[in-house]
Amino acid sequence: MKLNDKVILVTGGATGIGRACAQCCLADGARVVIAQPTLAQAQTAAAEMGTPDRVIGLACDVTQLWQVQTLVTDTVAHFGRLDALIHSAALVAGASQPTAFLDETAAHWQRILDVNLTGAFLCAQAAARQMVAQGDGGSIVLISSVAEFAAQELAAAYCSAKSGLGGLSKVAAIELGPHRIRVNNIAPGDIDTAAAHALPTAHGASGKFMRHTPLGRRGQPAEVGHVAAFLVSNDASFVTGATWLVDGGFLSY
């Protein structure tokens, strides 16, 4: 129970990788807040995972500063504090509306960056401010993608946003280190989530992005969740400013 009684906020915690992160943290003893744009979806997921003394669901559009601030305030109001943030909220696969570079529009570009990059900044900043006020340190984990390093066709905005998370995590790690707040980034590869099932057709007109994974299979969401749970635990007390690849060796080529 390495996360015993730590309060962890998981954005995008009702589905896919975010849900696995929430479940792994709960299994390790944490109390968890699941944030999702739709309150019903957040509350349903929370009810499926545990009781209100261990896990609750709250609504939050991560692109809206006031909603992010309210999310942190409500988390502290319910559980008394905030020890860690795992930011998994993002538009991925079909939801990111893959678009050819020459057909990209300013509106679509801005929407992807608003959710996938600016949302991460807003959540990380709000969480960090709460942790600084508490004075006990904390941990922030951003969920990026191998797209941070390996370009995907039809995904200029998505890859740009995910690349930005790597830089954001490093800058935040440097500036928040004196407050004993660690900031890390996880770059998953091909993970078997509902959103990723359409990945071969949704990303890559030629399919070149879908290279061979040395382990010969898709990853499971819990395999990312366990890494996230480790990074927010005291076992990772000297780990910050790092990007952890959870990709089955995809980027080894």
Side-chain angles (χ1 to χ4, degrees):
M1 305 295 281
K2 61 187 178 185
L3 297 178
N4 193 37
D5 289 333
K6 284 186 180 293
V7 177
I8 301 176
L9 170 59
V10 184
T11 64
T15 61
I17 289 173
R19 185 183 181 97
C21 289
Q23 291 172 320
C24 288
C25 289
L26 282 166
D28 282 340
R31 291 175 288 170
V32 172
V33 174
I34 293 171
Q36 204 74 17
T38 304
L39 179 60
Q41 188 178 29
Q43 291 181 331
T44 297
E48 291 170 348
M49 293 186 204
T51 55
D53 62 318
R54 293 290 314 284
V55 54
I56 62 170
L58 297 175
C60 181
D61 177 347
V62 299
T63 69
Q64 301 299 309
L65 176 59
W66 72 269
Q67 291 193 36
V68 171
Q69 293 172 331
T70 299
L71 174 64
V72 172
T73 298
D74 289 349
T75 294
V76 175
H78 188 85
F79 283 128
R81 60 182 298 105
L82 175 62
D83 297 296
L85 164 71
I86 300 174
H87 182 77
S88 185
L91 294 175
V92 301
S96 68
Q97 297 178 309
T99 304
F101 181 79
L102 292 177
D103 296 328
E104 185 64 88
T105 66
H108 176 258
W109 171 274
Q110 193 61 57
R111 173 60 178 164
I112 300 302
L113 264 66
D114 282 347
V115 176
N116 290 9
L117 181 57
T118 302
F121 160 71
L122 294 177
C123 290
Q125 184 187 61
R129 285 175 171 168
Q130 176 61 34
M131 294 171 193
V132 169
Q134 292 169 180
D136 300 321
S139 179
I140 295 170
V141 173
L142 307 179
I143 305 296
S144 178
S145 165
V146 289
E148 178 181 335
F149 306 100
Q152 296 177 209
E153 295 159 299
L154 311 182
Y158 180 82
C159 291
S160 297
K162 292 300 185 180
S163 296
L165 292 179
L168 174 61
S169 63
K170 289 177 173 60
V171 172
I174 292 170
E175 294 195 26
L176 297 177
H179 298 286
R180 293 183 293 131
I181 298 172
R182 298 179 297 102
V183 185
N184 291 289
N185 187 35
I186 297 176
D190 183 16
I191 306 300
D192 188 15
T193 64
H197 286 171
L199 188 60
T201 54
H203 290 285
S206 68
K208 290 180 180 178
F209 177 76
M210 298 306 296
R211 298 178 297 177
H212 177 64
T213 296
L215 289 184
R217 62 176 177 84
R218 306 186 95 171
Q220 294 302 306
E223 293 178 297
V224 181
H226 288 306
V227 175
F230 164 73
L231 288 173
V232 298
S233 76
N234 292 337
D235 288 349
S237 57
F238 202 57
V239 180
T240 194
T243 293
W244 285 58
L245 298 178
V246 185
D247 68 347
F250 176 85
L251 289 175
S252 297
Y253 288 99

